[in-house]
Amino acid sequence: MGIVLGPNQYGKAEVRMVHVDRSTPVHVITDVNVTSQLIGDFSSTFATGDNSAIIATDTQKNTVYALARTGGFSTVEEFALRLARHFVGPYPQVTGARMEIEQYGWDRIHTPDGAHDHSFVRGSAEVRTALVMKDGDDEQVISGVAGLVVLKSTGSEFWGFPDVPYTSLVETTDRIMATSVTARWRYTGVDVDWDAAFTAIRAVMLEKFATVHSLSLQQTLFAMGEAVLTAHPEVAEIRLSMPNKHHFLVDLEKWGLDNPNMVFYAADRPYGLIEASVLRDDAPPAPTAWDGVAGFV
Ligand SMILES: O=c1[nH]c(=O)c2[nH]c(=O)[nH]c2[nH]1
């Protein structure tokens, strides 16, 4: 019996970078947080501290900045692929890479003269994400969104659940439904118009959230995932995590007031947590593409 090194990866986490495309007077800014990790044969440093195979995490950080300078920044997916391809190939000990990017939104400031060329206001807390897992020539791209906060003020019911011991929830045919969607979807290939796909998939999810008359958050989640897969053959599977951000009707009776679904208490915890993956039953699974994803999504 011996003790051996198991799966491992290393790199620089959370390289914060803002790229300014100044090719025209109308600047385009991209604000990202990049985590670069390499996979391969690095057993010598774990075993003995022999670093001869180690491309320093500092070098990985510098490479993020350098590639943005030399090749610009178009989309999180394209940049993550470019970064992975930079490291996987030239160095025999590097057999794979895991590149994860979060992108924060900035909107142009609108003045009376219109959208400003080079002044921005930070957008919502919504984050666009990309995860590239490269293993030799195999490349898996998982795109996503986190913090997509949505609410519908009617069109949501919850009833028909069993009255088991300790059940006290009252059935409702009209409630607020709100959630913060975290979603990641895996593409079948890498020949994708990343921006167009992201925009369309986000729009499909929002449309379904709005238009499904919901009998449960679970039903809404599945409908959103199903709609994405139906509209996007280039997507193999989608995982969704949706907290049920409860809004409780405030009892105003003791002050002689009724409350016909108008005044709610927005609770922050505890919250229901509904999570599922929705997939094509004929799509080849790629479980390792999801390695290192913390939590369900
Ligand atoms: O949409 C819901 N799904 C549940 O599983 C659940 N459970 C609960 O208490 N409220 C809700 N709402």
Side-chain angles (χ1 to χ4, degrees), residues 157-158 161 169 175 177 214-218 244 246 274:
E157 312 185 20
F158 191 67
F161 47 89
L169 186 69
R175 65 174 183 174
M177 189 166 78
S214 179
L215 300 177
S216 68
L217 189 54
Q218 287 90 330
N244 194 350
H246 302 301
I274 314 300

Side-chain angles (χ1 to χ4, degrees), residues 12 16 95 130 157 202:
K12 195 67 100 189
R16 291 284 286 110
T95 59
E157 312 185 20
R202 181 181 178 281

